[in-house]
Amino acid sequence: MKRSFKVKGMHCESCVLLIERTLRKKTGVSGAVVNLTTETATVSYDPVVIKDADIVKAIESRGYKVVKDWKYSREKEAQKIGLKFFAAACLAIPVVILSMFIAPDSFPFQKYIVFCLATVIQFALGWEFYRNTLVSLKSLDTGMDTLVALGTSAAYLYSIFLLSKGHDGHTYFETSSVLITVILLGRFLEALSRLNASDAIKKLMELAPKKAVVIRDGMETEIITNEIIPGDIVVIRPGGAIPVDGILTEGDSSVDESMITGEATPVEKIPGDRVISGTINIGGAFRFRAENTGDATTLAKIIRLIEETQGSKAPVQRLADRIASVFVPAVLCIAVLTLVAWLPATHNWAAGLNAAIAVLVIACPCALGLATPAAIMVGSGVGAKNGILIKNAAALEELGRAKFFVFDKTGTITEGEPEVTDILSVTGDEEGLLSAAYSLENNSSHPLAGAIVKKAKERGFQIAENSGFESTAGMGVKAFIKGEPYIIGSVKWARGAGVDTKILDREIDGFESQGKTVMAVAKNGALFGVIAASDTVRESASLAVEALKGKGAGVSMLTGDNMRAARFLAEQADIDDVVASLLPGEKLEAINSIRKKGVTVMVGDGINDAPSLAAADVGIALSTGSDIAMDAGDIVLMKNDLMLVVKAFNLSRNTLAKIKQNLFWAFLYNIIGIPLAAFGLLNPMIAGTAMALSSVSVVANSLLLRNKKL
């Protein structure tokens, strides 16, 4: 079982590693991934061995708080930090004025007023640093709060020492006070930045209306959206938001689905059409029958997918994790060495202490911890806005490195709605041939089967009694109709089953040369006839292929169809590399063969292509397969537009570039800052300000992803 817990109180990568180590030590927990930016702990565990309450207790034992209301918690937390900063600033300003701009003992009790104000800041407003440090030290762990507590305590306690000795000169209360104030400012700005970065999820959460009107006992009744059950008839008025998924039963309208699919053009809806939760009715009133409700709605699934993506870790984050695990202990050693080195060199205790404090403060690994998750959070939000759902951070990173894109044919390169064009019977009984094919294919989900069923229904045929139905994936089916054995499938498969097709081989060749797919039907082992169907290439296919080639990627098409029909369609999509007549297992072999040359992306409709999507480095599923697509692919396209593959590729590259920029600046900040601080070239107050701004700059740089054109 996997579940995400909302955790508040984390401030740096050390917090992340502490919680992860704590959870992974628990019996029954198989994995734990903590994300600083989204403030989530995603835990994989055995619910029989360990309960949710035990996981919560383990997290809170480290000084953090698990909350249920994510939105409320984040906003309230930002407000709380903002108030603490405001209070600290109001107290720190007089401390600075009295310490640095007014001569000592200019009026009675001056230094004691400074001491009192600094003490309130240190232990009332800065108590969380001490509390978190004590919790960390119990398990021999250290983090950002340890650095802050040690740095500010050193300045504060040294000032008390000077005060107790009757020292008439300068004390360092302003250093500790300003440091805590600046760090609280940084956390406040960081909290605001995170709220802004998580804007995609907030907006999605607000799409579904709180209440809805349903028909109960023949009357319109307003209820809470969560009370809608499958089968309810829901009333939607002009301008109203659609609360759950369903099928339109009465009326017609235009619906704005841009928030789900990224498509700006309104979609016309008539009875029988599907409506999606969170979309907006911009036409006339209508009614629909609820199908998916609660957590099963499309909107709920999208939110869940985005949260899972933002809570996962990209492979590049491992570097930051490894560095952060030894970073704080290393900084503590550097600070001690700085203090020890300054004393014999200058005999100036105060200068050495200032340098050591600056080292402790400047080296906080906040920016390092935020570098990757901040970019992933914004990138996944941009994707959702454009109808691209990314299920995990690894896929978002890996896609940007893709060398080869492999497309399935039916339902991906083509529209996936083939139509029967020719029915040719050996005996001249075309109606009997179509009727038999209808009875055989009625239970199949393959698009070609759908074409036969559609044609038979148009002619008013009835399903004949059949039994012993057997299906061979990607090839064909067998069954008994009125006691006689029939088969229908690819010509190659029929020939392999011993069916002689010579009598119609010329016609079969003619159909295939026109890009048509031919299905052979046999009765009692003899050829009954053939049925040809054709599909149309998506308008976006050639544009997408051209764009991917222009970015240096190789493009291939895989299909179980015959080579002539495949090449005919591939040429229309400008695809040169075609592998045809593949069984499902052979598709996997083809994918693995291409993977040996470089990172490979498989694009399919998510139904028949699930194994291939899973086998590729990154699987991109079109939304045709609904739940199956969302399960099969690493990335799900919410509309069947292949240009979204190109946009997803661009988004991944942009996000990966931002991650690298963030990590570069985070590392550079520490590489430059620590030596400057150690050599006394950085005042602790300036170091605190720089530390705070470094975290904010990483989030701000990530937010620039929103302005990148896909």
Side-chain angles (χ1 to χ4, degrees):
M1 181 176 177
K2 182 185 286 187
R3 185 184 166 190
S4 292
F5 298 83
K6 306 298 180 183
V7 183
K8 76 173 184 178
M10 297 188 293
H11 302 297
C12 68
E13 189 65 13
S14 297
C15 301
V16 169
L17 297 175
L18 174 59
I19 297 174
E20 286 182 346
R21 284 196 295 264
T22 300
L23 291 173
R24 288 169 183 167
K25 289 177 183 176
K26 303 295 291 185
T27 303
V29 173
S30 57
V33 176
V34 178
N35 189 296
L36 177 62
T37 310
T38 59
E39 298 175 299
T40 57
T42 303
V43 188
S44 299
Y45 61 102
D46 184 346
V48 176
V49 179
I50 186 170
K51 305 300 180 185
D52 287 359
D54 299 321
I55 294 174
V56 171
K57 185 177 179 181
I59 295 172
E60 294 189 340
S61 71
R62 295 306 188 203
Y64 305 97
K65 183 71 176 174
V66 177
V67 295
K68 293 182 179 179
D69 192 333
W70 174 81
K71 182 183 174 184
Y72 174 83
S73 169
R74 282 197 159 190
E75 292 177 347
K76 290 295 181 182
E77 186 70 11
Q79 291 175 7
K80 179 181 175 183
I81 297 173
L83 287 173
K84 288 177 73 173
F85 159 68
F86 179 74
C90 289
L91 296 175
I93 289 172
V95 169
V96 171
I97 293 173
L98 292 174
S99 299
M100 302 183 70
F101 297 102
I102 297 178
D105 297 320
S106 294
F107 57 87
F109 308 111
Q110 178 182 341
K111 52 189 174 185
Y112 294 104
I113 292 173
V114 171
F115 162 72
C116 291
L117 294 174
T119 300
V120 173
I121 296 173
Q122 189 74 31
F123 296 107
L125 301 175
W127 173 246
E128 65 178 274
F129 302 118
Y130 289 102
R131 181 195 63 211
N132 294 339
T133 297
L134 291 172
V135 171
S136 297
L137 292 178
K138 285 180 182 178
S139 56
L140 301 179
D141 282 302
T142 53
M144 172 193 169
D145 289 329
T146 306
L147 299 179
V148 175
L150 287 175
T152 58
S153 294
Y156 176 81
L157 293 175
Y158 183 53
S159 297
I160 290 180
F161 172 76
L162 295 176
L163 196 64
S164 66
K165 293 296 183 179
H167 180 68
D168 293 330
H170 184 72
T171 57
Y172 296 89
F173 285 121
E174 82 284 351
T175 300
S176 60
S177 298
V178 172
L179 276 178
I180 289 176
T181 303
V182 167
I183 290 167
L184 288 174
L185 171 61
R187 291 190 175 178
F188 177 54
L189 294 175
E190 198 176 296
L192 292 178
S193 298
R194 288 182 189 176
L195 280 174
N196 198 15
S198 61
D199 196 45
I201 289 183
K202 286 195 294 181
K203 287 182 177 177
L204 284 171
M205 286 179 168
E206 292 166 359
L207 287 177
K210 299 289 188 296
K211 294 182 178 181
V213 176
V214 300
I215 304 298
R216 294 276 171 89
D217 299 324
M219 298 180 63
E220 293 187 3
T221 305
E222 187 176 70
I223 62 173
I224 297 173
T225 296
N226 289 339
E227 294 176 354
I228 297 176
I229 59 176
D232 272 341
I233 299 299
V234 184
V235 180
I236 302 295
R237 296 187 173 87
I242 297 170
V244 297
D245 298 347
I247 301 296
L248 195 146
T249 58
E250 184 181 335
D252 55 76
S253 185
S254 297
V255 176
D256 178 3
E257 296 183 344
S258 60
M259 61 289 297
I260 301 295
T261 65
E263 178 58 61
T265 305
V267 181
E268 298 297 322
K269 300 290 182 180
I270 60 174
D273 286 344
R274 183 176 180 79
V275 292
I276 305 172
S277 55
T279 56
I280 306 297
N281 176 29
I282 59 174
F286 64 86
R287 297 182 179 187
F288 72 91
R289 183 178 63 256
E291 287 196 334
N292 300 325
T293 62
D295 290 339
T297 65
T298 299
L299 180 61
K301 289 175 184 175
I302 291 173
I303 292 172
R304 193 157 57 246
L305 281 178
I306 297 174
E307 287 183 325
E308 287 174 0
T309 302
Q310 295 181 346
S312 62
K313 284 190 179 182
V316 72
Q317 178 67 15
R318 293 171 192 154
L319 173 63
D321 287 350
R322 286 197 297 269
I323 293 172
S325 64
V326 297
F327 193 78
V328 174
V331 169
L332 290 173
C333 292
I334 294 171
V336 171
L337 290 174
T338 298
L339 181 61
V340 171
W342 268 80
L343 290 178
T346 65
H347 301 290
N348 188 336
W349 171 269
L353 184 63
N354 258 344
I357 292 171
V359 168
L360 290 172
V361 176
I362 194 69
C364 174
C366 286
L368 193 62
L370 289 168
T372 299
I376 293 293
M377 170 179 273
V378 178
S380 60
V382 171
K385 185 178 179 181
N386 285 276
I388 304 165
L389 296 185
I390 301 155
K391 291 173 63 176
N392 57 74
L396 181 59
E397 178 183 335
E398 196 74 353
L399 178 59
R401 301 193 178 102
K403 300 295 183 184
F404 301 95
F405 285 80
V406 180
F407 291 84
D408 172 56
K409 179 180 77 72
T410 306
T412 305
I413 291 296
T414 67
E415 293 287 354
E417 297 180 1
E419 293 188 355
V420 172
T421 57
D422 304 274
I423 303 171
L424 189 59
S425 170
V426 172
T427 63
D429 183 12
E430 274 76 19
E431 288 197 357
L433 176 62
L434 181 58
S435 178
Y438 177 32
S439 298
L440 290 167
E441 295 283 35
N442 187 58
N443 293 321
S444 175
S445 61
H446 195 280
L448 291 172
I452 290 173
V453 171
K454 180 182 177 182
K455 178 63 72 173
K457 286 182 176 179
E458 287 175 356
R459 296 191 179 182
F461 289 172
Q462 299 296 315
I463 299 173
E465 180 183 344
N466 62 78
S467 61
F469 180 87
E470 291 181 21
S471 175
T472 302
M475 299 304 292
V477 299
K478 300 178 181 180
F480 289 89
I481 300 176
K482 296 180 180 179
E484 294 184 287
Y486 283 77
I487 69 169
I488 182 171
S490 70
V491 174
K492 177 183 176 181
W493 181 68
R495 287 169 179 164
V499 178
D500 186 352
T501 64
K502 288 181 181 177
I503 191 171
L504 293 180
D505 276 354
R506 188 175 65 178
E507 288 79 1
I508 291 171
D509 288 345
F511 292 147
E512 290 181 350
S513 66
Q514 297 170 37
K516 297 176 181 179
T517 302
V518 183
M519 294 162 282
V521 182
K523 175 182 178 181
N524 291 316
L527 185 67
F528 189 176
V530 295
I531 298 175
S534 67
D535 202 350
T536 55
V537 173
R538 293 188 188 279
E539 290 184 12
S540 59
S542 59
L543 294 174
V545 170
E546 182 183 359
L548 292 172
K549 286 182 176 179
K551 295 178 182 298
V555 181
S556 303
M557 186 178 83
L558 303 184
T559 180
D561 206 349
N562 67 84
M563 179 58 81
R564 273 182 294 183
R567 282 207 177 279
F568 181 85
L569 292 167
E571 286 173 5
Q572 296 180 50
D574 198 26
I575 298 176
D576 303 316
D577 184 29
V578 180
V579 185
S581 302
L582 294 173
L583 295 171
E586 292 172 335
K587 275 191 179 182
L588 293 182
E589 293 175 11
I591 290 289
N592 289 328
S593 176
I594 296 172
R595 284 185 66 198
K596 292 176 183 177
K597 304 180 214 176
V599 176
T600 300
V601 178
M602 173 68 189
V603 185
D605 63 13
I607 302 175
N608 300 318
D609 302 314
S612 301
L613 290 168
D617 294 297
V618 180
I620 299 181
L622 276 66
S623 61
T624 312
S626 190
D627 291 350
I628 300 174
M630 287 192 177
D631 289 339
D634 300 303
I635 296 173
V636 180
L637 308 182
M638 292 308 294
K639 61 177 178 176
N640 296 330
D641 179 359
L642 294 183
M643 281 304 293
L644 285 183
V645 175
V646 181
K647 289 187 175 183
F649 190 32
N650 292 339
L651 174 63
S652 177
R653 285 185 164 186
N654 293 343
T655 304
L656 194 55
K658 282 298 175 191
I659 290 173
K660 290 178 179 178
Q661 289 171 19
N662 288 346
L663 287 173
F664 172 78
W665 289 112
F667 282 127
L668 186 66
Y669 159 80
N670 283 296
I671 289 170
I672 294 175
I674 292 175
L676 288 176
F679 284 103
L681 301 175
L682 211 56
N683 182 284
M685 289 181 282
I686 297 175
T689 303
M691 181 273 293
L693 292 178
S694 69
S695 299
V696 175
S697 66
V698 163
V699 179
N701 186 46
S702 299
L703 287 170
L704 293 177
L705 272 171
R706 293 177 173 180
N707 303 325
K708 278 278 189 180
K709 186 176 180 180
L710 298 182

